């Protein structure tokens, strides 16, 4: 099969790999029809997350047709499914509490040794996202082996096309959980840092949950325009003093809840001792925690801080005083995708949620490297890239 | 030396900040030192933590390693699976096969550098659904003893399984180091085996990111 593989910083290639097979009883093999490049794939692309090996297949937002099933899979050949990026066994302490992204059993035993010293507890398995999260081959490929296929994949009814449902795999539930973590009450003012895919879906979700006003913060005109179209007021941080503006736009009270949909790329999963070097090398470190610090400063006393943005390591100059003195509540975490897919699929089917507005580019899988390059370096125009294996490169 | 030089030119802010910073650091260090002296005690009674978690220097003479894991299954089911030693090869990767004759079991174990080691053990204590303890016999190539205990986890969370092994590594300390390098040291292996046991019992299979059977 053909698959997008990682070889180093800003070096991804489409190569030929052996087709996957059923290995465990609960496995299924999916023939991928649509697969997206995620903002968090750019952390891998930039080489700031360790634990990747040259030749690893990337991709964790994908859907397709079931072509093979293990004896304990509940899927049927021919079904169309969206696959959550979180791999979850469905039966451990965490899965039973619907904390699917904390699954104890999906990261292979010996690979759990990589994240346990870093976080105190081992991470669960994720598709295509370094060996810290299991080293599972990802979905930017023609075929994927999906473990625990009776728990994760959600079957898509006829009549909904790929572009409408693909984002159930990650960014739609991630935006939804970000808004849920903000504990929104009727009429709340909510500020969202970052109008990438997760930020935009968080805006949409916050309004659906009853927010009275959502204020979106970014620098790219196209992304701010998308936020405005969803119903948000916008702040361009390149022209406006954000803290002051937020106070003025919330009656001097401050936003009731804040959502950091930026994350901190430069901090990767590194020990703190080499963090500063890392920051300098990547060249964006000094600003990269800025969104979270600013969000904590901006939120009203007793307010809520939701962090869907990806953080990997350690943070310095963290405004812990503001957090404690203002009595803030912080909620965060990798998305418990399986908890949300059914409800969100229903809302898509009923026309309440549309996700297709986000897609700026559709490319054949063979063109994936170009997709990465532009998604990384032309963020204004390239808001979301969907790869379509099986389609031909335009001449 | 006066802190000011003239009415027009005071010490520059950077120098002041540096001095203040250095002062604060020295103050914190002094405070920490005095606190640690203050907190020093002559006699330290035992606490409730397992002995293997003691700080180095307070460890007992015999190297002991162990780990506890919570498995979301009933105690009796886990005990029964473990007690049938032939089952252990399902999740203990280093164990090639086990033959059982009464209370004595012979384990063929893969060791570093392609060697094979035979471990012969005898059950020295067994409490149904709670405990299996074993010790190597004189015929064994490795001297070791161990126990696995099964306790009800609180609030219906299943079972806490604790496996403890103490052993004398082949070829002494050097042998232990070699084993560690090859990730075949009992502490590492035990950790992996408990995780695989948990996967098998909870998820019905052992997670792998391999894309093909071989």
């Amino acid at each position: 099969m053909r698959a997008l593989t990682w070889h180093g910083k800003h070096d991804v290639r489409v190569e030929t790999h052996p087709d996957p097979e059923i290995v465990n009883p609960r496995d299924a093999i999916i023939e991928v029809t649509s697969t997206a490049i995620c903002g968090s794939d750019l952390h891998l692309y930039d080489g700031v997350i360790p634990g990747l090996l040259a030749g690893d297949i990337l991709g964790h937002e994908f859907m397709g047709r079931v072509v093979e099933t293990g004896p304990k899979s509940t899927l049927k050949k021919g079904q169309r499914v969206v696959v959550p990026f979180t791999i979850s066994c469905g039966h451990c302490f965490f899965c039973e509490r619907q904390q699917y992204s904390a699954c104890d059993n999906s990261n292979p035993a010996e690979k759990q040794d990589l994240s346990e010293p870093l976080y105190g507890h081992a991470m669960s398995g994720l598709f295509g996202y370094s060996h810290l999260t299991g080293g599972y081959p990802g979905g930017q490929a023609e075929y994927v082996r999906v473990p625990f296929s009776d728990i994760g994949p959600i079957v898509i009814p006829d009549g909904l096309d790929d572009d409408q449902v693909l984002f159930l795999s990650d960014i739609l539930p991630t935006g939804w959980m970000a808004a849920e973590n903000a504990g929104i009450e009727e009429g709340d003012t909510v500020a969202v840092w970052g109008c990438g895919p997760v930020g935009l879906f968080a805006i949409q979700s916050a309004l659906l949950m009853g927010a009275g006003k959502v204020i979106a913060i970014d620098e790219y005109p196209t992304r701010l325009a998308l936020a405005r179209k969803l119903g948000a007021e916008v702040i361009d941080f390149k022209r406006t003093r954000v803290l002051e503006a937020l106070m003025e736009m919330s009656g001097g009270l401050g936003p009731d809840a804040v959502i950091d949909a930026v994350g901190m790329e430069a901090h990767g999963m590194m020990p703190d001792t080499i963090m500063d070097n890392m920051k300098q090398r990547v060249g964006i470190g000094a600003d990269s925690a800025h969104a979270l610090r600013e969000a904590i400063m901006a939120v009203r006393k007793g307010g809520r801080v939701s962090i869907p943005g990806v953080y990997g390591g350690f943070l310095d100059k963290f405004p812990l005083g503001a957090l404690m003195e203002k009595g803030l509540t912080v909620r965060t975490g990798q998305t418990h995708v399986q908890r949300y897919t059914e409800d969100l699929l229903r809302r898509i089917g009923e026309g309440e949620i549309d996700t297709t507005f986000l897609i700026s580019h559709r490319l054949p899988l063979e063109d994936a490297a170009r997709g990465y390059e532009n998604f990384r370096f032309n963020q204004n125009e390239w808001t979301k890239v969907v790869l379509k294996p099986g389609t031909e490169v335009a001449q | 030396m006066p802190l000011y030089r003239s009415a027009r030119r005071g010490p520059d802010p950077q120098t002041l900040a540096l001095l203040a910073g250095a002062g604060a650091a020295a103050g914190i260090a002094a405070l920490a030192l005095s606190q640690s002296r203050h907190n020093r005690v002559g006699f330290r009674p035992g606490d409730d933590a397992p002995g293997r978690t003691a700080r180095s220097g307070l460890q007992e003479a015999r190297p002991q390693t162990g780990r506890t894991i919570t498995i979301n299954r009933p105690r009796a089911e886990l005990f029964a699976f473990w007690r049938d030693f032939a089952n252990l090869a399902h999740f203990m990767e280093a164990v090639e096969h086990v033959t059982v004759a009464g209370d004595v079991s012979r384990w063929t174990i893969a060791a570093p550098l392609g060697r094979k080691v035979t471990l012969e053990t005898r059950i020295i204590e067994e409490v149904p659904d709670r405990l299996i303890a074993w010790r190597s016999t004189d015929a064994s190539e490795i001297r070791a003893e161990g126990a696995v205990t099964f306790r009800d986890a609180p609030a219906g969370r299943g079972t806490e399984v604790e496996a403890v092994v103490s052993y004398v590594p082949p070829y002494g300390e050097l042998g232990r180091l070699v084993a560690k390098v090859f990730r075949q040291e009992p502490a590492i292996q035990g950790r992996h085996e408990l995780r695989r046991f948990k996967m098998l019992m909870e998820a019905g299979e052992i997670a792998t990111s391999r894309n093909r059977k071989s």
Side-chain angles (χ1 to χ4, degrees):
Chain A
M1 68 169 180
R2 301 288 283 168
L4 185 281
T5 55
W6 182 90
H7 287 272
K9 186 180 174 183
H10 300 161
D11 182 5
V12 291
R13 308 168 198 166
V14 177
E15 293 177 335
T16 302
H17 271 244
D19 288 356
E21 296 174 340
I22 300 283
V23 178
N24 271 339
R26 295 170 64 187
D27 288 355
I29 306 292
I30 309 292
E31 181 185 14
V32 178
T33 52
S34 293
T35 174
I37 304 175
C38 181
S40 59
D41 286 330
L42 296 181
H43 302 316
L44 306 174
Y45 187 62
D46 285 341
V48 297
I49 291 189
L52 269 178
L53 301 174
D56 281 350
I57 301 172
L58 303 188
H60 57 270
E61 297 180 5
F62 61 97
M63 64 177 297
R65 265 182 302 273
V66 179
V67 291
E68 222 185 318
T69 55
K72 288 195 179 162
S73 172
T74 50
L75 297 177
K76 308 260 175 300
K77 280 183 201 172
Q79 282 178 326
R80 276 174 75 222
V81 293
V82 175
V83 181
F85 78 98
T86 44
I87 305 174
S88 313
C89 80
H91 301 293
C92 66
F93 176 89
F94 299 99
C95 286
E96 274 198 349
R97 283 156 185 76
Q98 293 202 311
Q99 295 173 329
Y100 294 103
S101 73
C103 175
D104 256 349
N105 291 325
S106 58
N107 196 347
E110 63 286 355
K111 303 208 176 191
Q112 293 188 19
D113 286 352
L114 301 174
S115 53
E116 197 174 271
L118 199 56
Y119 300 139
H121 296 89
M123 295 282 288
S124 65
L126 307 176
F127 286 102
Y129 214 78
S130 97
H131 291 260
L132 293 178
T133 54
Y136 285 93
Q140 288 160 8
E142 289 184 288
Y143 298 94
V144 185
R145 172 186 158 246
V146 175
F148 306 132
S149 64
D150 53 324
I151 293 295
I154 180 161
V155 178
I156 303 302
D158 294 338
L160 290 174
D161 64 34
D162 279 21
D163 289 354
Q164 288 176 282
V165 295
L166 171 62
F167 301 143
L168 286 168
S169 56
D170 175 354
I171 50 175
L172 180 60
T174 297
W176 186 267
M177 188 167 114
E180 199 176 79
N181 278 346
I184 294 165
E185 291 168 17
E186 200 64 34
D188 270 359
T189 298
V190 180
V192 179
W193 276 255
C195 296
V198 169
L200 289 168
F201 286 148
I203 292 167
Q204 196 178 33
S205 306
L207 289 167
L208 280 171
M209 290 177 192
K213 186 192 281 192
V214 176
I215 305 170
I217 301 144
D218 204 300
E219 60 169 318
Y220 296 110
T222 310
R223 292 179 180 220
L224 287 172
L226 287 173
R228 192 175 262 148
K229 220 166 144 185
L230 290 171
E233 296 179 12
V234 303
I235 293 176
D236 175 354
F237 68 76
K238 282 283 166 76
R239 60 177 293 161
T240 297
R241 292 192 302 275
V242 176
L243 275 182
E244 225 174 300
L246 283 174
M247 283 299 278
E248 293 307 309
M249 293 162 83
S250 61
L253 185 70
D256 301 286
V258 292
I259 298 175
D260 167 12
V262 175
M264 185 174 52
E265 168 158 307
H267 278 81
M269 299 188 187
M270 293 283 150
D272 52 350
T273 44
I274 56 169
M275 195 83 65
D276 288 343
N277 291 342
M278 193 69 191
K279 282 188 197 173
Q280 284 159 358
R281 187 165 74 76
V282 179
I284 56 173
D287 282 328
S288 61
H290 188 69
L292 180 57
R293 293 192 188 102
E294 194 168 70
I296 288 170
M297 295 305 285
V299 69
R300 73 158 164 80
K301 290 176 275 187
R304 287 92 58 184
V305 182
S306 164
I307 313 174
V310 170
Y311 290 84
F314 302 84
L315 175 59
D316 56 6
K317 298 184 278 302
F318 182 73
L320 189 57
L323 188 77
M324 186 274 159
E325 297 290 351
K326 292 203 287 183
L328 306 183
T329 302
V330 179
R331 296 182 70 190
T332 182
Q334 293 280 7
T335 310
H336 306 303
V337 179
Q338 289 91 332
R339 191 198 285 178
Y340 303 102
T341 41
E342 204 181 308
D343 177 51
L344 290 172
L345 176 63
R346 182 185 56 75
R347 290 173 190 267
I348 291 169
E350 290 170 1
E352 191 185 356
I353 292 179
D354 165 56
T355 64
T356 56
F357 72 91
L358 191 62
I359 304 170
S360 59
H361 294 79
R362 294 170 185 82
L363 301 177
L365 177 64
E366 294 296 327
D367 242 0
R370 192 165 70 89
Y372 268 83
E373 195 183 340
N374 282 287
F375 191 42
R376 174 69 180 85
F377 296 108
N378 295 320
Q379 298 201 1
N380 189 41
E381 292 81 20
W382 292 61
T383 52
K384 188 71 180 177
V385 184
V386 176
L387 305 170
K388 304 275 186 183
T391 60
E392 298 291 318
V393 182
Q395 294 304 310
Chain B
M1 194 177 83
L3 262 180
Y4 56 89
R5 290 197 185 97
S6 75
R8 274 178 292 123
R9 195 172 156 279
D12 71 288
Q14 245 183 343
T15 311
L16 268 183
L18 254 172
L19 280 172
I28 289 166
L31 185 69
L33 194 67
S34 87
Q35 280 295 317
S36 78
R37 290 221 170 113
H38 183 75
N39 289 334
R40 191 168 294 168
V41 290
F43 170 69
R44 206 169 282 287
D47 60 16
D48 298 319
R52 62 179 180 275
T53 62
R55 294 183 184 281
S56 56
L58 297 173
Q59 280 264 19
E60 286 162 35
R62 167 176 271 196
Q64 194 194 61
T65 175
R67 180 106 162 176
T68 304
I69 200 163
T70 296
I71 302 181
N72 193 11
R73 301 299 306 166
R75 184 156 49 84
E77 179 187 325
L78 298 181
F79 179 91
F81 188 91
W82 193 293
R83 181 63 184 81
D84 183 356
F85 293 144
N87 279 336
L88 302 187
H90 288 307
F91 63 88
M92 294 187 171
E93 284 198 337
V95 173
E96 299 199 342
H97 51 87
V98 186
T99 52
V100 183
D103 270 358
V104 175
S105 309
R106 282 177 69 87
W107 310 68
T108 307
I109 298 171
L113 304 170
R115 288 179 65 246
K116 288 195 198 320
V117 178
T118 305
L119 172 66
E120 193 181 278
T121 62
R122 183 186 300 280
I123 293 177
I124 51 172
E125 196 184 349
E126 180 177 349
V127 183
D129 299 342
R130 292 189 188 281
L131 168 80
I132 307 164
W134 51 267
R135 185 178 293 149
S136 53
T137 67
D138 293 340
S140 182
E141 286 181 55
I142 309 175
R143 280 197 291 147
E145 63 178 87
V148 53
T149 43
F150 303 83
R151 293 184 298 267
D152 284 335
R157 294 176 182 188
T159 307
E160 291 177 0
V161 180
E162 179 184 19
V164 180
V165 177
S166 72
Y167 71 108
V168 180
Y171 312 113
E173 192 58 21
L174 183 66
R176 196 188 64 79
L177 270 174
V178 170
K180 194 164 185 174
V181 167
F182 286 88
R183 298 168 69 85
Q184 283 171 332
E185 204 223 1
I188 301 170
Q189 250 171 31
R191 186 164 74 218
H192 294 175
E193 282 159 0
L194 274 182
R195 285 178 190 150
R196 287 194 202 98
F197 179 52
K198 176 180 162 77
M199 286 172 183
L200 194 58
M201 295 292 100
E202 288 183 345
E205 58 189 47
I206 294 170
T208 173
S209 51
R210 275 183 300 131
N211 238 3
R212 298 176 67 82
K213 281 174 216 154
S214 52

